[in-house]
């Protein structure tokens, strides 16, 4: 239950031509240009609210200045790109993502906000032909865990940064550390078949849960001065349990999961999920814990 991230595989228009998407990332491209991409456009405001305690950690670590040239990997509907754009009156921000629906929303938000310094391109950041040394800073909010070949992806991002350029990203720690996932999943596990979200070595929201793996990846792809810090913050899920149940069970993946269950199992799923979430209702709504890594590094 829950969405792993703004996506990390990031042209314009319809589906990118095959040479712009690495073979192993084609499934991500298909997913995020279908129901998932459209759903997360609809849920944009909620997603920003969910990350409202996490995003400031990323932006503070990025060290963005007025003249910075910023690359936002897996920018989704543009939340972090627009925040960066507000800080770079004399610079520029390029957001990349695989999802045409989400990028269309990002462009609309940039125009509505009067932020011409924010631009957006569609392509796969693992293979996208960024100009060498074109950026001072690369950021990502939960968008770098989905690459089929993370070594190639981080090497490509390193090439896009000038020597000494800053990398800053958030990625999830382990699934079991993240109550925003485990509380709903544990509640409904007796009634439906849950997807495997943390298969060892496979792309997915928890593929960078191992800090040693992150360090090895970055050290081997052109980065040094690597720091990895734990960030634990409550995640706002919604104003009340009924709202959160409706939101979570309307996700494309949840709809597909429930379609395979019996009517009785579906009813028990709804009840169990509502009861579990009610235990976490507070004056601010329903909140559940989140556990992330905040990673920074410099291009050699």
């Amino acid at each position: 239950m829950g969405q792993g991230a703004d996506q990390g595989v990031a042209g314009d228009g319809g589906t990118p031509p095959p040479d712009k998407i690495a073979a192993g990332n084609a499934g991500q491209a298909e997913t995020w240009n279908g129901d998932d991409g459209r759903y997360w456009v609809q849920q944009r405001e909620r997603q920003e609210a969910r990350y409202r305690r996490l995003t400031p950690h990323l932006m503070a670590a990025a060290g963005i200045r007025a003249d910075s040239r910023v690359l936002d990997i897996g920018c989704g509907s543009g939340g972090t790109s627009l925040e960066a754009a507000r800080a770079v009156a004399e610079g520029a921000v390029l957001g990349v993502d695989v999802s045409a629906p989400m990028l269309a929303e990002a462009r609309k938000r940039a125009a509505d906000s009067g932020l011409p310094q924010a631009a957006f391109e569609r392509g796969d950041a693992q293979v996208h032909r960024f100009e060498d040394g074109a950026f001072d800073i690369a950021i990502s909010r939960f968008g770098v865990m989905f690459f089929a070949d993370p070594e190639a992806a981080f090497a490509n991002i390193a090439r896009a940064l000038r020597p000494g350029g800053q990398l800053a990203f958030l990625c999830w720690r382990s699934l079991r550390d993240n109550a925003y996932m485990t509380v709903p999943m544990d509640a409904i596990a007796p009634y439906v078949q849950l997807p495997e979200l943390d298969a060892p070595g496979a792309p997915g929201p928890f593929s960078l849960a191992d800090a040693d793996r992150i360090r090895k990846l970055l050290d081997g792809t052109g980065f040094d001065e690597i720091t990895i810090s734990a960030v634990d913050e409550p995640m706002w899920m919604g104003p009340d349990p009924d709202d959160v149940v409706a939101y979570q069970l309307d996700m494309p993946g949840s709809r597909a999961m429930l379609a395979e269950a019996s009517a009785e199992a579906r009813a028990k799923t709804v009840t169990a999920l509502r009861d579990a979430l009610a235990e976490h209702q507070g004056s601010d709504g329903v909140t559940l814990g989140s556990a992330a890594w905040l990673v920074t590094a410099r291009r050699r």
Side-chain angles (χ1 to χ4, degrees):
M1 304 294 295
Q3 196 234 2
D6 298 313
Q7 284 307 101
V9 278
D12 295 320
T15 301
D19 64 339
K20 296 292 182 68
I21 297 290
N25 295 331
Q28 293 283 346
E30 182 177 358
T31 295
W32 290 93
N33 285 286
D35 287 345
D36 287 79
R38 290 186 288 271
Y39 178 79
W40 289 109
V41 168
Q42 296 168 4
Q43 295 292 335
R44 173 187 60 77
E45 291 186 4
R46 181 190 292 267
Q47 192 75 337
E48 293 301 321
R50 279 160 51 92
Y51 290 158
R52 67 191 180 196
R53 294 184 177 93
L54 290 161
T55 303
H57 293 279
L58 173 65
M59 305 312 292
I64 298 171
R65 302 179 308 190
D67 60 349
S68 294
R69 301 165 300 163
V70 181
L71 173 63
D72 188 1
I73 301 295
C75 66
S77 295
T80 47
S81 299
L82 299 190
E83 187 157 344
R86 294 183 184 99
V88 295
E90 303 164 24
V93 178
L94 177 65
V96 293
D97 201 286
V98 72
S99 175
M102 297 177 84
L103 288 171
E105 177 68 13
R107 293 187 183 102
K108 179 180 182 298
R109 292 178 64 200
D112 290 348
S113 301
L115 294 170
Q117 57 270 51
F120 299 92
E121 289 184 6
R122 194 160 163 259
D124 179 350
Q126 181 175 311
V127 295
H128 193 70
R129 294 179 181 176
F130 300 112
E131 181 184 347
D132 287 357
F135 300 96
D136 304 301
I137 300 167
I139 63 173
S140 183
R141 185 182 64 185
F142 305 115
V144 294
M145 302 92 69
F146 302 90
F147 297 114
D149 187 343
E151 291 85 356
F154 281 108
N156 197 39
I157 294 166
R159 284 192 294 270
L161 286 168
R162 63 167 173 78
Q166 172 87 335
L167 172 68
F169 66 84
L170 285 166
C171 63
W172 297 119
R173 301 203 319 263
S174 72
L175 173 61
R176 296 314 307 180
D177 286 336
N178 277 281
Y180 87 93
M181 295 288 286
T182 59
V183 167
M185 291 176 71
D186 290 350
I188 70 174
Y191 312 111
V192 293
Q193 181 65 45
L194 296 173
E196 186 175 12
L197 298 176
D198 58 347
F206 303 100
S207 69
L208 297 179
D210 184 343
D212 289 339
R213 185 185 187 209
I214 297 172
R215 194 175 300 278
K216 183 178 179 180
L217 272 171
L218 295 181
D219 182 64
T221 53
F223 292 97
D224 58 18
E225 298 183 35
I226 300 162
T227 68
I228 304 173
S229 305
V231 174
D232 295 89
E233 291 285 2
M235 180 182 289
W236 182 85
M237 304 295 291
D240 57 65
D242 286 333
D243 171 85
V244 182
V245 168
Y247 151 68
Q248 294 212 314
L249 297 186
D250 192 42
M251 294 178 186
S254 297
R255 293 200 303 268
M257 179 179 64
L258 290 173
E260 299 177 357
S262 67
E264 180 182 9
R266 289 196 295 271
K268 289 182 176 179
T269 295
V270 171
T271 299
L273 183 56
R274 182 185 295 113
D275 289 348
L277 292 168
E279 296 180 13
H280 300 273
Q281 172 81 54
S283 59
D284 187 40
V286 178
T287 59
L288 295 170
S290 73
W293 294 123
L294 174 64
V295 182
T296 63
R298 294 279 180 186
R299 182 195 166 178
R300 291 193 187 96

